[in-house]
Amino acid sequence: MAFALPVWLAVQEELLGHGAADHEPPSCFDDFDDEALFQMFHLTRPCIAFITDAIRIRMKTVVMDNPELPVDAMVMVALNYYAHGVSSSAVLQRLGLSETDYAVVVISTVSDVIAGMSDQFISFPLTRDARANVAFKIEKICGIPNVLGVLAPAHFRIRTSPYERSTFRAFVNSLSYTSVVSQIMCDSDGNILSVEHCCVGSTFEQEMWESSFKGREMENELHGPYWVVGGKGYHLSKHVLTPVSEPANDKEGRFNEAHTKIHNVMRATLGSLRRRFRCLMQLGFAQETSLNKKSNIIKACCVLHNIAKKFSVPPPPAAGKIEPLHPGKQQSTPVEVNPEALKARQKLIDVNFSLVTSGQNPPSNNITEDNV
C-alpha cells in the first residue's frame, strides 16, 4: 500500500532521524502482549511505536498546564479512547489516573497534535505521476477514467438532550439524527486523501464542497482535467461526477453501476474507520463551540487510519452491518445543471459505456472493508 504521494519514506526517515538522539525509557505499552495490545488499541506494536515517536517529536513544542504524564502514557490514553469511545478504567488505573477530567484534557491535546500531522499523512495526489497512478487504479475497478478520488460526507453521531433538541436543530441531518459532518475523499485502496473541518449535520454537501479547500482547488483547475466521484447530494460540475438521476438507456445504466462500484469504496473505508476508532460512533454532546474539538478527533482518526494501513493493520472484526453512506441532503428547489458539465459526462458515458466488450468488463462489485 502507498499513499497518493511518495512522501511516506521521507517522513519516516525524518521521524527516525529526529528521534534517534533521544534515549526514551521503556514504553508503558511494553506491559501488554500483542493480543492485548490490539484488543485495547486496535493497532499493532510497530504501528503504535511509530505513532508515539511522531507525537513525541511534536509534543516538544506543546505546553500543558499540568504535564502529569510522559508522552507515551498520553498516547496510550488517547489511543484507548479512539479505539473504544471511552477511557478504559484499566488503562487509567495502570497510569495512576483517578480522574477522567484529566484524561479529557490529554485526549484533546493529543488529538490536536495528531490532527496537525495531517499534512504529512493525508496526501492528495499533487504530481502528474501521482494523479495518473490514482486515476489508473480507479479506472481498473470501475471503468471510469480520469478520477482522482471518491468524495462523500461522513456523518458522525452526537448526543443532544431531549429538552434542548430545538436549540441544536442545525445538528439534525436528513436522516433525522443529530450529527456533525466532514467532507472526506479517498482513493481506490481506501487511503484518505483529504478531510475537511466538520460542520453541523444539516449542512448541504454542495455547500461543504464549494467552501472547502479541495473543492475550490478542483474547480479552479489546480489539479488538472480530473473528476472526483460524488453522490446525489452534490451537483454535477466539471470536476464532480455524479450519477445520472434517471438513466434513459443501457449505457447510462452501466455508468451508474460503475459509479456505485467505486462509491462503495468510500462506504467500506468509512466502515473500516468506524470499526477501528469506535469513538466516531458517538462523539459526545452537541455544542456549537465544540466543533473544533470534534474536528480534531475526526482528523486524528483519519491520520491514524492511513498510518494503520501503511503498517497493514487490519480493522477489528465487524460487529454488524456496514453503515450505508449518507444519501445526501437534497435541495428543496430545482438546481440548474451546468450544460458543459452535462456534455462532458455524456461524452464520458458515450466513449466508455456504450458497448460492453468481451473480456473488458469492470471487476465485480464485491468491495468489502477488508479490501480497503
Side-chain angles (χ1 to χ4, degrees), residues 200-241:
V200 295
S202 64
T203 307
F204 285 95
E205 286 82 348
Q206 184 64 23
E207 180 183 331
M208 283 194 295
W209 172 251
E210 291 174 353
S211 63
S212 69
F213 293 110
K214 281 295 174 281
R216 292 195 295 267
E217 289 176 359
M218 291 288 292
E219 299 298 349
N220 288 330
E221 303 284 351
L222 295 186
H223 297 290
Y226 287 94
W227 305 88
V228 291
V229 165
K232 295 179 180 179
Y234 295 94
H235 300 170
L236 175 67
S237 73
K238 58 184 178 180
H239 292 293
V240 178
L241 188 60

Side-chain angles (χ1 to χ4, degrees), residues 183-200:
Q183 177 181 280
I184 291 181
M185 278 192 268
C186 74
D187 65 11
S188 59
D189 294 319
N191 300 305
I192 294 175
L193 304 179
S194 172
V195 54
E196 301 270 354
H197 62 275
C198 69
C199 307
V200 295

